[in-house]
């Protein structure tokens, strides 16, 4: 157990790594302590279109920086550029951007989005073909917390992450989306929480491979790029979509949680060209080539698609 002194030092360390952004109509106030002012630059002044650049000098020695968003704007944005993992806390913030994403994270590392307990936040974007979502992230996103988030995508997707998306504990409501409700690459994992997706013109959730060839399933999904969809818990509700409830370049695994959607309206293995095959829990291993033809063994020269129960992986020889 940590001593009182250790706990105080730990709390202080977290405080000095916090950047607070308070929106108020057409303005925003950005505050941070001197300890990290040399690592985060505000390039937007007091504008409600907040633009922050996190220095490339931020590393394990400096520690993770926490960005806390609050307040309301009907013509604003939160833009963050950087190259080190960070945490974004949504503390009852409401951001509408008529000309682009409400949140734009140009950071290829892990971004943890904490929806603060007891708060409700809202993100709404406007048409801009350069971006893919009201929440747009260049890296991978972990949604957590016990608060509630509403997202409306008027340009493309409501929520977009160029790498994986994970959801735990929080409640995410996609009000509507011009394309997909949620769209990501590498993989999608829902462990707990509540996700409600309504009125997506295309798919409810779409998962793509980021690269041309799948890594195959990895331990704890470390560096995984399969295009797989995993649901192990929580409650997922999808309604009124224009195409598929779930679409994945890999396989779709629904092993837990409450599924309030038509599970027959899903599509998997789109990238590999392998048609999904119904299997029982104790099914034997099946091998296919990229054309979907069943093989007796591994393809001697090329890519084999191996299906074991409800999991699919690729093998290259």
């Amino acid at each position: 157990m940590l001593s009182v002194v250790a706990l105080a030092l730990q709390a202080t360390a977290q405080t000095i790594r916090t950047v607070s952004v308070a929106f108020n109509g057409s303005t925003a106030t950005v505050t941070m302590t001197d300890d990290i002012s040399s690592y985060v630059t505000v390039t937007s002044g007091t504008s409600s279109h907040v633009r922050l650049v996190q220095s490339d000098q931020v590393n394990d020695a400096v520690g993770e920086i926490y960005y806390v968003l609050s307040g309301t704007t009907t013509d604003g944005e939160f833009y963050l550029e950087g190259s080190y993992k960070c945490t974004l806390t949504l503390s009852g913030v409401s951001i509408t951007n008529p000309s682009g994403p409400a949140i734009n994270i140009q950071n290829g590392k892990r971004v943890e989005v904490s929806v603060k307990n007891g708060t409700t936040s809202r993100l709404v974007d406007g048409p801009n073909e350069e971006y893919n979502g009201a929440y747009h992230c260049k890296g991978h996103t972990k949604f957590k917390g016990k608060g509630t988030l509403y997202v409306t995508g008027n340009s493309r997707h409501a929520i977009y992450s160029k790498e994986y998306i994970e959801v735990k504990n929080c409640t995410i409501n996609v009000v509507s989306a011009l394309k997909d409700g949620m769209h990501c690459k590498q993989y999608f994992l829902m462990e707990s929480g509540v996700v409600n997706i309504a009125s997506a013109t295309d798919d409810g959730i779409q998962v793509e491979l980021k690269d041309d060839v799948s890594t195959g399933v990895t331990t704890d999904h470390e560096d995984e790029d399969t295009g797989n969809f995993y649901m192990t818990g929580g409650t997922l509700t999808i309604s009124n979509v224009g195409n598929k409830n779930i679409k994945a370049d890999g396989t779709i695994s629904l092993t837990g949680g409450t599924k309030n959607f038509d599970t027959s309206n899903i599509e998997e293995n789109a990238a590999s060209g392998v048609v999904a095959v119904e299997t029982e829990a104790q099914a034997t291993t099946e091998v296919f080539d990229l054309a979907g033809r069943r093989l007796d063994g591994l393809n001697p020269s090329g890519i084999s698609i191996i299906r074991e129960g409800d999991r699919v992986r690729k093998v290259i020889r």
Side-chain angles (χ1 to χ4, degrees):
M1 179 179 295
L2 292 174
S3 68
V4 174
V5 173
L7 286 171
L9 289 173
Q10 185 182 68
T12 302
Q14 181 169 337
T15 299
I16 65 173
R17 297 196 304 270
T18 298
V19 177
S20 297
V21 180
F23 292 94
N24 184 11
S26 61
T27 65
T29 302
V30 180
T31 58
M32 66 186 86
T33 62
D34 292 338
D35 303 82
I36 58 170
S37 60
S38 60
Y39 297 106
V40 179
T41 303
V42 182
T43 64
S44 53
T46 60
S47 169
S48 56
H49 285 262
V50 176
R51 299 181 70 85
L52 305 181
V53 178
Q54 184 173 284
S55 170
D56 288 342
Q57 295 178 359
V58 176
N59 50 38
D60 289 336
V62 175
E64 187 166 347
I65 295 177
Y66 299 78
Y67 299 86
V68 181
L69 310 187
S70 63
T72 300
T73 178
T74 57
D75 186 2
E77 174 188 12
F78 177 78
Y79 172 96
L80 176 63
E81 182 180 328
S83 57
Y84 187 77
K85 63 185 179 181
C86 63
T87 292
L88 184 65
T89 298
L90 306 183
S91 184
V93 69
S94 179
I95 305 174
T96 297
N97 184 359
S99 57
I103 291 180
N104 182 3
I105 308 295
Q106 292 297 310
N107 185 336
K109 302 299 182 180
R110 187 273 291 151
V111 177
E112 201 160 77
V113 178
S114 177
V115 188
K116 189 176 179 180
N117 186 21
T119 68
T120 298
S121 294
R122 291 177 171 82
L123 306 176
V124 181
D125 72 346
N128 190 326
E129 294 184 357
E130 294 183 12
Y131 303 101
N132 290 312
Y135 171 87
H136 176 105
C137 182
K138 182 181 176 181
H140 30 271
T141 304
K142 290 186 176 184
F143 288 101
K144 67 172 191 177
K146 295 186 178 180
T148 301
L149 172 63
Y150 288 85
V151 187
T152 300
N154 291 313
S155 184
R156 293 187 180 182
H157 315 303
I159 294 174
Y160 170 83
S161 193
K162 193 174 180 181
E163 297 179 345
Y164 66 73
I165 288 178
E166 295 185 0
V167 178
K168 189 174 183 178
N169 294 329
C170 59
T171 296
I172 299 175
N173 299 304
V174 171
V175 179
S176 63
L178 191 63
K179 288 194 172 182
D180 301 333
M182 303 178 77
H183 188 113
C184 67
K185 299 184 180 183
Q186 293 187 328
Y187 68 88
F188 179 98
L189 170 62
M190 182 171 180
E191 294 184 85
S192 59
V194 176
V195 173
N196 300 309
I197 297 175
S199 301
T201 302
D202 199 354
D203 302 311
I205 299 175
Q206 183 175 1
V207 191
E208 293 185 85
L209 275 172
K210 184 180 179 183
D211 299 312
D212 294 334
V213 179
S214 170
T215 61
V217 180
T218 63
T219 303
D220 296 327
H221 307 293
E222 183 72 22
D223 296 323
E224 180 175 328
D225 182 12
T226 55
N228 287 354
F229 176 99
Y230 305 98
M231 181 178 179
T232 61
T235 300
L236 175 59
T237 302
I238 304 175
S239 62
N240 193 29
V241 299
N243 193 18
K244 300 297 182 181
N245 287 323
I246 301 172
K247 185 176 181 179
D249 281 354
T251 189
I252 297 172
S253 177
L254 306 171
T255 59
T258 302
K259 294 164 278 294
N260 296 325
F261 59 91
D262 181 1
T263 56
S264 67
N265 185 33
I266 60 178
E267 181 179 325
E268 60 181 352
N269 300 320
S272 68
V274 178
V275 178
V277 179
E278 293 293 335
T279 60
E280 297 180 356
Q282 303 300 320
T284 57
T285 299
E286 296 175 292
V287 182
F288 304 86
D289 63 15
L290 286 179
R293 294 184 291 261
R294 195 188 304 271
L295 304 175
D296 293 332
L298 292 178
N299 193 343
S301 58
I303 300 175
S304 302
I305 307 299
I306 301 176
R307 185 179 182 93
E308 299 167 308
D310 62 354
R311 296 188 180 277
V312 174
R313 57 191 175 91
K314 288 184 180 181
V315 174
I316 303 174
R317 297 185 65 177

